[in-house]
Structures are given as C-alpha cells and as structure tokens.
Amino acid sequence: MGGAEACLIDAVAVLRQARPDWSCAVVLAEDGPLASRAINLGAEVHLLPFPTELARLGDSGETGRAAMAGRLISTAPSVLQYRAQLRRLLSRIKPDVIHTNGFKMHVLGALAKPLGSALVWHIHDYISSRAVMAQLMRRLASRTDTIITNSRHVADDTRDVVGKDAHIVPILNVVDLKEFTPEGTKLDLDALSGLSAADEGAVRVGLVATLAWWKGHRVFLRALSEVPAGVQVRGYYVGGALYRTHAQGSLVALRDFASELGLGDRIGFTGVISEPAAAMRALDAVVHASTEPEPFGRVIVEAMACGKPVITTGLGGAAEIVKLGEFALLIDPTDPATLAAAIAKIARDRDLRHRLGSNGLSTARRYFGRERLARELPPVYEEVLSRVHGTRAAHV
C-alpha cells in the first residue's frame, strides 16, 4: 500500500477501537490489500472502480498545466459518470461524515456528497504544486467542513491555496507499532534482487519508496557510486510503481542508470513488496532522499519503529519528525556527495548505527503509535458532527 492508503487503514483501526458504536464504511476505487485490511478491521467495504482514464489521471509537479488540462478535458465524461455512481452509492450508505483520502476523491466527494453529510478532506500532499488541482480545490473548499493535514507544513500550504478561513487540523501520521517493530521476520533482499549473498560484514543500506519522480532514486544511486571502495556497503532500492498515474518513474530506467554508474552487484532492486517492515528489519540503515519537501515522511517513522538509523533530507513535513529526537543524519538533497559521506559514516560506525536506531525506536514509540491518533482523530469528527448534526454518534 502507499502512504495515504496506510494512513486510511490507521484511521479505520482507530475508529473501530476508540468508537466501536460508530459504523464505518470504506469506498475504494480498486480492489487490493487495502480492501482486505479494511474488511479484517470490521469495516463495510464498497468497491467502485475508477474508469481507466480517471485512474491514470495525475497532477504532479512534473506535469505541465496545459498537458494536465488537456487530459482533464478528455477525462471529463469518465469523471461525470463516476460522480453519478458515487452519488448514488453515498445516498444508499447515508454517511454522517464523509472522509476523503486523495485528491481525486476530495474533488469527487465534494461534488457527490448527499445533502446532510459533512465532508472532511484528509490531505496528504501539497496542493500548491498541482496547478489544476489547486484551482479545483480552491473552488470546492466551501463544500468541506474540516480539513485534516498530515503535517503543519501541509496545513500551511493548504491554507495558502484554499483560504485563511478554512478549518484545518494538522495531525501527524502514525504507524502500527505491532507491525513495525525490531522483532520479526526479515526478507532476503539479495534473493529478491536476484543477487548473490552480500559479503560478510557488508552494511545494507536501502531506499524505501514508490517510483514517484521526487523520491531521490537517482541521488541514491549516484551516492552509492561515490562511496569509497574500501567501505563495505550494499544498497537496495525497495519499491516500485504503486499507482497508474503518469507521474510514476520507470524501474527499468533506474536499472539502466545503475548500470551506467557501474554499480554492478553493489545495488539490488527488490520491486514492490507486501511486507515493508520485514524489508526494513533486513536493512542496517534506511535512506529517505526526497529531493522536494516531503508532506510527512512515513518511511522515516517506519524505519524508526523498526529500530533503524535514518539518513534523510529532512525537508518539509519530515522536519517535524526529525526535530523530535537524534536518530537521523541530515543530507543535502541536491548533492549526492553528502549522501555518500553519510552512508560511509553509518557503515563504518556500528555504535553510531545502534545509537541512532535506539533513539529512533524510543521516539517512534513515544510519538507515533496509534494511541495518539485515537486521541486526536475522533474529536475532529465529533466537532464536525456537533456543528453539522448536533450529535456525536456517527456513520463515517
């Protein structure tokens, strides 16, 4: 699952536990692990698949405004069709609160919500970097009752786009500390990458990310090529394309780039995996190399919860995590040499790895467990319910 999907599962788990008298339905645009996890948590799941054109529609920072506008126009019939289907489904469900979890659903939820339903946008990314989406959400902001953001950094960006009068509540993401923990199985990253076993004593350093263009894959590969030859390091890219939008990069292109750099068996590509915690437990350090400000930086917290030291650019919302403890080495996102130096430092110093990993684990357990979300999320819904319906019970 992607980060926003994992956040949705955290929200469902918290609501089912903290407010068991509330009913919870989840509407998904495609089947997959998110659906099965929601069902296992006791949520009512409805599948309403996106048409192919709508599923592939994306508005990232690399998408030109004219190109995006053209795709939006060509996709308009699918959008209108899906809005009608969603409106009929929501009219049957009759939710007191609609919680939308992605840009497409923010727009569609605002257009399709039934009369009497409150709308909460949960924003996980910067709106201002998406020119067309920013215009749409600015126009539709009056239809939402509350906006949740995953960091204060995203809250500030959202307020700049939709207006200063918007009711915005920043809630930092959490992780499941029963899943992300130092104890448990470890994946064989070499076997998954098709490599022979790493040399004894080699330090395993991995970039865990989707193929979004700004996640720093090429910076990571360049840095590996600049690590001094005497440092025993094997790098891994753990991830792949999770979405069908045009903003995804190419794993083939990354492999070719690694070959051009002469990395050979110093880098392994695992592809998409279903057990990120098991992959992190197999690493000695986790790299977070985003070249643009990170809305939150979920991978950082997951690595911390697994007791792993982190190397990060610390941009955007990630800065709100990094300031909570001494568990990370900070790097310049524009300079692979700083990442190479940090990797070498981590690889050479076992005590440093242990100290940063231990600090990260205690910080994750203190600030990023679902217990905090259980304290912060339900009151947001209760405030909306009180304001819109005059009640505190809900069908979300």
Side-chain angles (χ1 to χ4, degrees):
M1 297 189 300
E5 294 172 315
C7 291
L8 183 58
I9 285 298
D10 289 328
V12 171
V14 161
L15 290 177
R16 299 305 298 146
Q17 183 175 9
R19 298 294 187 273
D21 55 320
W22 291 9
S23 56
C24 180
V26 180
V27 179
L28 300 177
E30 63 180 1
D31 202 356
L34 179 58
S36 59
R37 289 199 179 196
I39 291 171
N40 290 339
L41 288 170
E44 173 188 326
V45 173
H46 301 266
L47 293 177
L48 191 63
F50 278 155
T52 301
E53 298 84 356
L54 182 55
R56 289 185 58 82
L57 186 66
D59 186 15
S60 77
E62 280 201 335
T63 303
R65 181 179 298 190
M68 177 60 193
R71 286 205 289 269
L72 190 62
I73 293 171
S74 66
T75 311
S78 296
V79 172
L80 294 174
Q81 179 186 14
Y82 193 87
R83 181 189 66 171
Q85 295 171 343
L86 181 60
R87 179 176 291 170
R88 288 194 294 270
L89 176 57
L90 292 174
S91 296
R92 292 201 308 271
I93 297 174
K94 295 183 173 60
D96 299 305
V97 177
I98 300 170
H99 172 131
T100 57
N101 200 55
F103 282 125
K104 294 172 190 175
M105 281 300 188
H106 297 329
V107 171
L108 289 163
L111 294 174
K113 73 169 186 172
L115 185 65
S117 293
L119 177 62
V120 175
W121 282 346
H122 194 166
I123 297 180
H124 302 275
D125 211 338
Y126 300 109
I127 309 175
S128 62
S129 63
R130 301 163 183 257
V132 176
M133 187 58 67
Q135 293 184 37
L136 288 172
M137 295 189 70
R138 185 181 299 115
R139 294 181 180 183
L140 295 172
S142 61
R143 302 192 184 194
T144 187
D145 298 282
T146 292
I147 298 173
I148 299 171
T149 63
N150 58 354
S151 67
R152 292 175 182 83
H153 210 249
V154 172
D156 292 341
D157 177 81
T158 301
R159 190 172 287 107
D160 288 343
V161 172
V162 305
K164 295 182 179 180
D165 294 333
H167 184 230
I168 300 176
V169 182
I171 300 178
L172 294 179
N173 293 338
V174 299
V175 300
D176 183 358
L177 295 179
K178 295 180 180 178
E179 177 182 359
F180 290 91
T181 174
E183 297 79 26
T185 59
K186 299 179 182 180
L187 295 181
D188 186 339
L189 301 179
D190 295 320
L192 287 171
S193 303
L195 300 176
S196 59
D199 294 338
E200 185 177 353
V203 174
R204 293 176 167 83
V205 178
L207 176 75
V208 184
T210 68
L211 266 174
W213 61 269
W214 51 276
K215 289 293 186 179
H217 313 87
R218 289 175 178 262
V219 173
F220 176 59
L221 295 179
R222 284 191 183 278
L224 284 176
S225 71
E226 295 180 18
V227 172
V231 180
Q232 285 189 296
V233 168
R234 175 171 282 180
Y236 301 89
Y237 168 51
V238 181
L242 289 180
Y243 309 109
R244 289 189 280 171
T245 67
H246 296 274
Q248 294 287 291
S250 165
L251 191 57
V252 172
L254 282 185
R255 290 178 182 274
D256 290 344
F257 186 61
S259 179
E260 292 172 12
L261 293 172
L263 285 172
D265 64 358
R266 285 184 287 163
I267 178 69
F269 296 86
T270 70
V272 176
I273 59 170
S274 59
E275 301 175 272
M280 289 183 178
R281 283 191 287 267
L283 295 169
D284 296 299
V286 174
V287 172
H288 177 265
S290 296
T291 58
E292 297 290 324
E294 183 76 51
F296 174 69
R298 186 182 183 91
V299 163
I300 297 174
V301 178
E302 292 173 344
M304 292 161 56
C306 290
K308 301 301 177 181
V310 176
I311 302 172
T312 177
T313 55
L315 300 177
E320 297 172 36
I321 304 171
V322 172
K323 72 178 183 180
L324 296 174
E326 297 181 4
F327 50 80
L329 299 181
L330 296 180
I331 59 170
D332 181 347
T334 65
D335 185 8
T338 65
L339 176 53
I343 291 173
K345 184 175 182 178
I346 282 280
R348 287 170 170 151
D349 195 334
R350 180 188 298 269
D351 290 340
L352 176 64
R353 296 199 300 271
H354 176 77
R355 183 170 72 255
L356 295 180
S358 179
N359 290 345
L361 177 59
S362 61
T363 303
R365 289 176 173 174
R366 181 176 181 183
Y367 294 106
F368 294 104
R370 284 177 173 174
E371 295 79 7
R372 174 175 58 78
L373 188 62
R375 295 192 302 269
E376 296 180 351
L377 181 60
V380 173
Y381 295 129
E382 289 172 339
E383 189 277 332
V384 170
L385 287 165
S386 177
R387 178 157 36 96
V388 177
H389 297 294
T391 181
R392 293 172 70 88
H395 182 184
V396 181

